[in-house]
Amino acid sequence: MSQPLPCPLKVEINEVAPRDGLQIEARFVPTEEKIRWIDALSATGLRRIEATSFTSPKAIPTLRDAADVMTAIQRREGVDMTVLVPNMKGTERALACQVDEINLVMSASKSHGLVNLHMTPEQSLEQFATILNVSKNSGVFINASLSTTFGCPFEGEVPEARVLELIAKLIALGIQGVTLCDTTGMANPAQVKRLCEVVLRRWPETPFTLHFHNTRGMGLANALAAWQAGIKRFDASLGGMGGCPFAPGATGNVCTEDLVHMFETMGVDTGVDLDALLAVASTLPDLIGHDVPGQVVKAGKSTRRYSMPAAHV
Ligand code: COA
Ligand code: ZN
């Protein structure tokens, strides 16, 4: 048995609510409001923001204003703006908007790939090869997100060997970073720890990000298991918004402010100003027109104190 990797003292949070959060909303958030919201998020110390997706407006109508959003948001030193992209057309649109990163998306399972992207994993890999060729002199970081890594709502278990085979293919193509996504909250902490340990040992030079949904209440437990295995980068969504509209039963991501609160109370540096983040989170119900699952915004931080009832003072 080799020694476990140390638990990181610093983590990076990628805020995905403007993409993963809005893609499943029924209401179109006006472009101006999206821009103000992303500008507020980029002032909180988040390392990276997934600002939108360059997908078909028929598939994801709530993000049909991707180019307008991407070109109008403030660009701050130290905050990378990334966008989700499924294909060549999305890549061209993203490159025209001076994104810092392109987050290519494919599925680990054939059925979710066909339903979500109309592509098998192999067809996605073919697209990615062309995309890497076209973008190689752009200076844009090319990440790939692997949906249904921990289980598929149609097929069930996705064998770990298949996941490793796809990661190996992505890295061989020249993909610079890989995000392992638990699209419908099927992962459990033991499974997460095992896979994270394997990938970190096998590809120590590749930045791995973990993307959890809290569909079955295991989001924070899974993030903790990944961190214990040595993972430093996490996707999370403000308020716990989010979900893939083409994955039955999908619900929100692990909540950013709850994740930041967990890490900060453990003494792990997220670089995020939690009070500033909570202030933005408190505006969400007005922005999207309904309540969100985030808990710390309602309960307050664990440092919150109440006055003793008068009878006991
Ligand atoms: N951006 C904008 N438009 C796009 C596009 C993109 N990235 N990719 C395709 N289109 C347009 C085409 O131009 C075409 O338009 P037309 O009907 O006006 O001619 C139409 O979409 C269909 O194109 P086609 O290449 O046949 O794609 P498709 O219908 O098989 O759809 C995807 C494939 C991947 C583009 C589409 O399924 C998609 O955008 N999915 C995104 C899913 C998603 O974001 N899920 C949540 C995240 S996990
Ligand atoms: Zn997601």
Side-chain angles (χ1 to χ4, degrees):
M1 271 295 282
S2 46
Q3 284 289 102
L5 293 171
C7 298
L9 298 174
K10 252 178 111 127
V11 295
E12 285 182 10
I13 311 282
N14 177 33
E15 173 57 61
V16 299
R19 192 280 298 174
D20 206 328
L22 291 184
Q23 71 186 9
I24 200 166
E25 289 295 320
R27 189 176 89 96
F28 178 79
V29 173
T31 309
E32 282 306 310
E33 290 179 36
K34 284 179 181 139
I35 294 164
R36 270 200 300 277
W37 178 44
I38 296 170
D39 287 348
L41 283 170
S42 70
T44 64
L46 289 159
R47 178 68 188 77
R48 192 175 296 97
I49 298 179
E50 196 157 295
T52 187
S53 75
F54 287 94
T55 45
S56 154
K58 285 183 197 136
I60 310 284
T62 54
L63 299 179
R64 61 182 180 267
D65 55 356
D68 294 336
V69 169
M70 207 36 240
T71 46
I73 51 176
Q74 281 175 32
R75 308 297 287 273
R76 281 177 207 270
E77 190 66 36
V79 189
D80 287 344
M81 290 296 170
T82 183
V83 293
L84 190 90
V85 164
N87 60 7
M88 193 59 218
K89 178 155 187 183
T91 304
E92 285 161 1
R93 293 174 64 210
L95 290 175
C97 296
Q98 278 75 48
V99 298
D100 300 306
E101 175 179 312
I102 286 177
N103 182 22
L104 297 174
V105 61
M106 65 174 284
S107 281
S109 60
K110 185 175 172 187
S111 26
H112 182 255
L114 290 174
V115 173
N116 190 36
L117 304 165
H118 311 161
M119 284 182 265
T120 63
E122 277 63 32
Q123 287 169 322
S124 286
L125 287 168
E126 268 174 48
Q127 288 261 335
F128 293 1
T130 317
I131 288 169
L132 282 158
N133 208 19
V134 167
S135 62
K136 67 171 177 271
N137 297 321
S138 66
V140 173
F141 187 93
I142 309 289
N143 192 79
S145 275
L146 200 52
S147 300
T148 65
T149 288
F150 297 94
C152 166
F154 305 107
E155 287 171 34
E157 189 202 344
V158 178
E160 194 173 291
R162 173 64 169 155
V163 170
L164 295 174
E165 178 198 343
L166 291 171
I167 299 171
K169 287 187 174 164
L170 286 168
I171 291 173
L173 281 179
I175 291 289
Q176 293 164 281
V178 176
T179 303
L180 303 176
C181 304
D182 182 24
T183 308
T184 55
M186 292 172 71
N188 68 69
Q191 178 191 17
V192 168
K193 184 161 181 289
R194 205 169 49 239
L195 183 63
C196 291
E197 282 171 354
V198 170
V199 301
L200 288 174
R201 287 200 188 285
R202 186 148 161 203
W203 294 286
E205 306 302 326
T206 302
F208 281 94
T209 303
L210 270 287
H211 176 110
F212 293 113
H213 282 262
N214 197 34
T215 313
R216 293 178 173 82
M218 290 190 276
L220 280 184
N222 285 330
L224 187 67
W227 173 78
Q228 284 172 334
I231 293 290
K232 300 186 180 85
R233 295 162 51 119
F234 294 89
D235 282 358
S237 176
L238 200 73
M241 302 166 65
C244 173
F246 304 102
T251 60
N253 290 74
V254 64
C255 167
T256 313
E257 60 274 23
D258 293 358
L259 184 72
V260 168
H261 180 267
M262 180 186 83
F263 279 132
E264 293 288 340
T265 55
M266 292 167 61
V268 178
D269 182 10
T270 62
V272 177
D273 175 343
L274 181 54
D275 292 316
L277 191 70
L278 285 166
V280 185
S282 69
T283 67
L284 275 182
D286 278 346
L287 185 81
I288 58 174
H290 58 84
D291 194 14
V292 287
Q295 294 189 272
V296 175
V297 78
K298 295 171 191 131
K301 295 187 289 185
S302 62
T303 49
R304 181 174 183 175
R305 296 292 175 268
Y306 296 87
S307 308
M308 287 281 284
H312 296 276
V313 177

